[in-house]
Amino acid sequence: MTLLTVHQDNHPTPATTEASAGTDPDTAAGTATHTSTATDPGTRTSTSAKTPVDPTHMPRLTTTVPREYVHRSTLAEVFLTGCEQTGNTHYTLTAQWPRAHTFFTTPDGTHHHPLQAAETIRQTGIYLAHAELGIPLGHHFLMRNLHLTTHPQHLTIGPTPTDLTLTATYTPHHPHTKRPTDFTMHITITRNGHPTATGTGRFTCLTPTTYQRLRHPHTTTPTNTTAGTTTSTSTARTQHQPPNPPPTHYGRTLPHDIVLTPTPHPHTWQLTPNPHHPILFDHTTDHIPGMVLLEAAHQAATAHTHPTPTTHPTHPTTLHATFHHYTEHHTPTYITTNTTTNDQAPTTHITAHQNNTTVFTAQLTTHTPTHT
C-alpha cells in the first residue's frame, strides 16, 4: 500500500457509561419524598414530593462529541457537536468554531483559517467511522487524499462562535465487506445556509495488528516530546542555512507556529515543526501528522507567492493533497514549490520528499480576500 498517512489513534477506549433510571444516588429508590408535619394538632399533615424528570422531555443541550471519536486529546480541539443519520449513507452534523482559536485564525484576526475546515473534515470522517459505521476505537486511520474548496467571504469571525451545519455522504470502496474500512467521505460545511467549505477525503481503517505489521521496521513507539528532546524534523538550523524570516513571511504571527526552515536552495525548505506544538501535535504519533503537512503546504505557498513579509492574509481557496507514504519523524523532510498562474489566481505545487522519495504532494490556490 502506498497512499497512506495522517493519524493513528493512541487514546484508550473510554469507559462506557449509560444513563438509566435509578443510577443517580439521589433518586436510586425511584422518587425521593420529603414529608413535613405541622406541630399544631389542628393543622393538617401535608406531604410534598419531588417529581422525577423524564429524560425524554429534557431539552437537548449543546456539547461536543467524545474526543476519542475524533482522535483528539484536548476537548477544546473537538469541533463537532452532534450528528443525525438522514439516509443510508447520509448524515447531518453540527459543529462550532471558536471566535479566537489559537492556531486556526488568520494573522489579522478577521477570518477563520481555511485549514480549520480541513481539520473539521478530518474529524467528521473519523467520527462517522467510529460512531456510525462500527469501526472500533483503537483502529488507525489513514487519509489517502483531501480535496478542499473554501469560501473566504463566509469565513469571517463574528461576535459569537461560528455555528456550522455539515452534510456528509460516505461511499464505501468495498461495499460487500462487513465494515466499510475503505471509504470516501463527501462533506459540505454551511453557515447560516451559506456554503463555507466543501471537501472530499478518502479514509482507510487498519486494525492495530495490521498497522503494526505495516509500520515494521519503522518504530511504533510514540515520539518522545519531553522537554529538551528534539527530532530531525525540529533540528536547529546549521550555520550554512539562511536565517528564518519573520512569521508573517509564512502567513503566521507566532514563531512557534512556523513548521519550515529555509535551505540554501531556492523555493526549498526543511520541515521543522515544533514537536511540543499543542495543536499540530495534540497527541503522540509515530509519524508526522497529515495536518502538519497541510500546514507546511500553506506556509510554503505563502512564502513562495509573497516572498516579502506581509500582514495581508492569503486564504487557500482550493487544496488538492495526496499522501503517498508515511512521513517519518527521524528522517529529514524537504518541501519544494513551484507556481503556475491561471485566470490571475496563482496555484502553488508543493512536494515533500524523504530520502529522495515523494511522501506528499499538494496543489494550493490562494487569494487575498476583501474584508466583509
Side-chain angles (χ1 to χ4, degrees):
M1 183 178 296
T2 58
L3 303 180
L4 300 174
T5 193
V6 192
H7 287 284
Q8 75 174 72
D9 180 14
N10 292 317
H11 298 294
T13 302
T16 302
T17 58
E18 295 182 356
S20 59
T23 57
D24 186 341
D26 291 334
T27 58
T31 302
T33 304
H34 171 71
T35 304
S36 61
T37 304
T39 56
D40 185 352
T43 304
R44 64 181 181 178
T45 301
S46 64
T47 302
S48 61
K50 288 184 178 180
T51 302
V53 178
D54 184 356
T56 61
H57 290 85
M58 295 181 66
R60 292 185 62 182
L61 304 179
T62 301
T63 185
T64 65
V65 302
R67 60 188 174 92
E68 292 84 359
Y69 281 10
V70 296
H71 296 194
R72 294 302 260 170
S73 295
T74 307
L75 288 173
E77 299 308 316
V78 179
F79 300 139
L80 302 182
T81 58
C83 176
E84 179 182 359
Q85 185 171 5
T86 55
N88 289 337
T89 60
H90 302 276
Y91 299 87
T92 298
L93 302 95
T94 54
Q96 186 181 86
W97 291 344
R99 292 177 59 194
H101 194 275
T102 58
F103 185 71
F104 291 120
T105 304
T106 57
D108 60 359
T110 62
H111 289 70
H112 298 289
H113 198 285
L115 287 185
Q116 191 163 17
E119 169 61 18
T120 303
I121 290 172
R122 186 198 71 84
Q123 291 189 16
T124 301
I126 296 176
Y127 172 78
L128 290 177
H130 282 315
E132 302 291 343
L133 306 182
I135 302 300
L137 291 172
H139 280 48
H140 300 257
F141 283 76
L142 313 172
M143 184 176 283
R144 296 172 179 259
N145 54 55
L146 173 68
H147 307 286
L148 175 68
T149 300
T150 62
H151 305 278
Q153 68 271 27
H154 299 304
L155 291 174
T156 54
I157 297 175
T160 60
T162 301
D163 292 314
L164 304 166
T165 300
L166 289 71
T167 57
T169 303
Y170 84 91
T171 303
H173 292 278
H174 306 285
H176 302 296
T177 58
K178 183 178 180 180
R179 291 193 181 110
T181 56
D182 187 12
F183 58 89
T184 293
M185 195 70 67
H186 307 272
I187 298 168
T188 299
I189 303 175
T190 60
R191 175 185 184 181
N192 297 327
H194 299 289
T196 301
T198 56
T200 300
R202 183 172 178 178
F203 297 80
T204 298
C205 312
L206 299 174
T207 66
T209 301
T210 301
Y211 184 81
Q212 294 286 336
R213 184 173 63 251
L214 181 66
R215 291 294 286 143
H216 184 79
H218 298 288
T219 176
T220 55
T221 303
T223 302
N224 184 2
T225 57
T226 56
T229 301
T230 60
T231 66
S232 64
T233 58
S234 59
T235 303
R237 296 188 302 272
T238 67
Q239 60 180 353
H240 302 292
Q241 291 175 310
N244 223 349
T248 52
H249 184 83
Y250 300 103
R252 288 294 182 180
T253 57
L254 300 177
H256 77 273
D257 288 337
I258 305 305
V259 300
L260 301 177
T261 297
T263 71
H265 306 286
H267 308 307
T268 303
W269 297 265
Q270 184 175 354
L271 183 66
T272 56
N274 176 8
H276 311 289
H277 197 283
I279 311 301
L280 295 176
F281 291 91
D282 171 76
H283 57 276
T284 56
T285 65
D286 66 353
H287 58 276
I288 299 294
M291 287 303 297
V292 174
L293 296 173
L294 294 180
E295 176 62 22
H298 168 253
Q299 292 187 18
T302 303
H304 186 113
T305 57
H306 295 273
T308 58
T310 176
T311 57
H312 300 290
T314 56
H315 291 197
T317 53
T318 60
L319 169 67
H320 302 285
T322 302
F323 305 93
H324 300 277
H325 295 280
Y326 289 101
T327 305
E328 306 297 341
H329 281 290
H330 304 289
T331 303
T333 303
Y334 294 96
I335 308 290
T336 59
T337 60
N338 66 83
T339 301
T340 59
T341 301
N342 184 19
D343 296 330
Q344 298 181 346
T347 297
T348 305
H349 304 266
I350 302 102
T351 302
H353 50 90
Q354 285 187 330
N355 293 328
N356 298 318
T357 299
T358 298
V359 294
F360 168 77
T361 55
Q363 297 82 44
L364 194 151
T365 302
T366 62
H367 86 293
T368 302
T370 57
H371 291 280
T372 58

